[in-house]
């Protein structure tokens, strides 16, 4: 099995699927995902690590709005240049405090407050997921490296239903033992708990 070729094929399939989503349907799906994630958060949650969705990812705008309306602070990731593949989370005060990274992703400025909670829930993006909690990302490994350094976080992945694949049919999901598996996976129609 050519692992990289299969991962690339899955990525192409998902990217094509994301381009075909009707905007009205996407809004309904994103709201369903946001509500399901909110119901999973432990009572007393004060901060959640999230991400700003881009390029057809499962939308987080509604989720971030609802978190802030619930007085839950939202930390967003910033990639730190260097060979260690470091990613740190900062808590921007306003959406206007974000800047576009070299990857074209809105990131908080380093002058913002840095996250100081090694156990808060983290909402994890991804290209594809298995029905057993494995994840295929974009290939840079930033989230895997982050969780290797801070393994105490609750991991909640979110995706559209067509991004979930049966691992028994696609063993590529279990090919790399360094990949961090998710504890929860939320889609518009389903909650997976691992």
């Amino acid at each position: 099995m050519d692992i990289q070729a299969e991962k690339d094929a899955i990525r192409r399939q998902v990217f094509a699927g994301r381009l075909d989503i009707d905007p009205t349907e996407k809004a309904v799906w994103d709201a369903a995902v946001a509500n399901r994630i909110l119901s999973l958060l432990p009572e007393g949650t004060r901060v959640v690590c999230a991400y700003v969705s881009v390029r057809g990812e499962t939308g987080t705008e509604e989720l971030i709005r609802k978190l802030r309306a619930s007085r839950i602070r939202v930390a967003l990731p910033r990639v730190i240049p260097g060979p260690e593949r470091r990613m740190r989370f900062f808590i921007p005060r306003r959406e206007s405090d974000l800047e576009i990274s070299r990857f074209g992703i809105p990131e908080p400025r380093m002058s913002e407050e840095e996250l100081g909670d090694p156990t808060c829930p983290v909402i994890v993006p991804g290209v594809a997921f298995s029905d057993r909690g494995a994840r295929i990302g974009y290939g840079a490994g930033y989230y895997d490296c982050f969780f290797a350094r801070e393994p105490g976080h609750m991991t909640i992945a979110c995706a559209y239903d067509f991004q979930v694949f049966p691992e028994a049919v696609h063993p590529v999901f279990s090919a790399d033992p360094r990949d961090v598996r998710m504890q929860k996976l939320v889609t518009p129609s389903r909650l997976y708990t691992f």
Side-chain angles (χ1 to χ4, degrees):
M1 171 178 64
D2 185 337
I3 292 170
Q4 192 57 53
E6 186 172 350
K7 281 187 177 182
D8 290 344
I10 288 172
R11 286 185 179 110
R12 284 192 301 274
Q13 179 181 337
V14 170
F15 293 154
R18 290 194 326 202
L19 289 174
D20 286 340
I21 301 172
D22 174 76
T24 303
E25 191 169 36
K26 180 175 177 16
V28 171
W29 289 353
D30 292 344
V33 166
N35 290 333
R36 206 176 294 272
I37 288 173
L38 289 169
S39 73
L40 291 174
L41 298 178
E43 190 172 334
T45 297
R46 295 183 174 201
V47 63
V48 169
C49 294
Y51 65 94
V52 177
S53 51
V54 294
R55 298 186 285 277
E57 289 176 323
T58 307
T60 56
E61 183 177 294
E62 179 80 359
L63 172 63
I64 290 171
R65 186 187 64 73
K66 287 184 173 186
L67 287 168
R68 289 178 173 155
S70 300
R71 299 187 189 277
I72 296 173
R73 301 173 82 203
V74 178
L76 299 173
R78 181 179 180 94
V79 169
I80 310 302
E84 301 94 18
R85 298 192 187 282
R86 288 189 68 83
M87 182 176 68
R88 292 161 46 193
F89 283 84
F90 296 87
I91 304 171
R93 287 167 291 216
R94 297 172 302 276
E95 195 172 317
S96 59
D97 291 331
L98 302 178
E99 57 190 14
I100 303 300
S101 74
R102 62 190 172 113
F103 300 111
I105 299 170
E107 293 183 334
R109 293 182 170 88
M110 289 190 62
S111 58
E112 298 292 336
E113 177 187 350
E114 187 166 3
L115 175 70
D117 184 342
T119 62
C120 69
V122 178
I123 312 304
V124 185
V127 176
F129 299 89
S130 81
D131 57 358
R132 296 181 190 166
R135 171 182 170 271
I136 292 177
Y138 293 91
Y142 287 106
Y143 276 89
D144 291 320
C145 291
F146 174 77
F147 290 126
R149 288 190 307 276
E150 293 191 19
H153 293 280
M154 175 185 186
T155 55
I156 306 172
C158 57
Y160 298 128
D161 291 287
F162 65 83
Q163 293 175 260
V164 182
F165 294 77
E167 192 165 320
V169 177
H170 299 278
V172 67
F173 281 97
S174 57
D176 190 340
R178 296 169 300 177
D179 290 343
V180 175
R181 287 187 179 257
M182 302 292 100
Q183 295 167 339
K184 310 273 186 193
L185 171 59
V186 173
T187 73
S189 68
R190 187 167 174 190
L191 166 65
Y192 298 80
T193 299
F194 308 107

